[in-house]
Amino acid sequence: QVQLVESGGGLAQAGGSLRLSCAASGIIFRGYDMAWYRQAPGKQRELVARVTWSGTVDYADSVKGRFTISREDATNTVHLQMNSLKSEDTGVYYCNRAYVWLAWGQGTQVTVSS
């Protein structure tokens, strides 16, 4: 049974920071590209950040320079450090494989207000 569990979301003020975590059971991350996605109210889910199996990272233009994705394969964990948060970062954040998706978890809500 594969399960993805996101955590670390919450309410933050503009300019603040949050650190999201994604833990998995029933699957090993090593050797797979992993990614964070988000879905804002009324919008489609979008790719936010990706880290390849070898450690190369890519970011959406809207978060470049503010967010950092990292992976800890020994603990089957992916993180997203979010700094300088803006109201437009508000949404539900999900982790998954970058290409061949596993079943989606519940995500973690991030709300940014000023």
Side-chain angles (χ1 to χ4, degrees):
Q1 179 79 348
V2 176
Q3 187 169 20
L4 296 166
V5 180
E6 299 92 345
S7 63
L11 178 64
Q13 60 180 300
S17 298
L18 287 172
R19 184 174 176 83
L20 308 184
S21 296
C22 170
S25 61
I27 189 69
I28 297 175
F29 287 171
R30 185 182 299 276
Y32 296 95
D33 295 0
M34 299 298 297
W36 282 95
Y37 302 82
R38 71 184 178 191
Q39 187 168 23
K43 294 188 176 182
Q44 297 179 347
R45 181 154 41 212
E46 64 174 337
L47 179 69
V48 175
R50 180 186 66 174
V51 55
T52 71
W53 66 271
S54 61
T56 302
V57 297
D58 288 304
Y59 301 95
D61 288 341
S62 60
V63 308
K64 195 171 298 181
R66 300 187 297 117
F67 291 9
T68 303
I69 187 172
S70 61
R71 62 191 300 161
E72 300 176 8
D73 289 346
T75 55
N76 245 20
T77 305
V78 183
H79 302 283
L80 185 68
Q81 178 67 47
M82 305 187 296
N83 298 325
S84 302
L85 285 165
K86 304 175 180 179
S87 60
E88 53 261 43
D89 295 321
T90 294
V92 180
Y93 284 70
Y94 305 85
C95 69
N96 215 318
R97 289 180 177 177
Y99 304 108
V100 181
W101 292 336
L102 302 166
W104 294 96
Q106 294 298 308
T108 185
Q109 175 71 45
V110 171
T111 303
V112 184
S113 65
S114 59

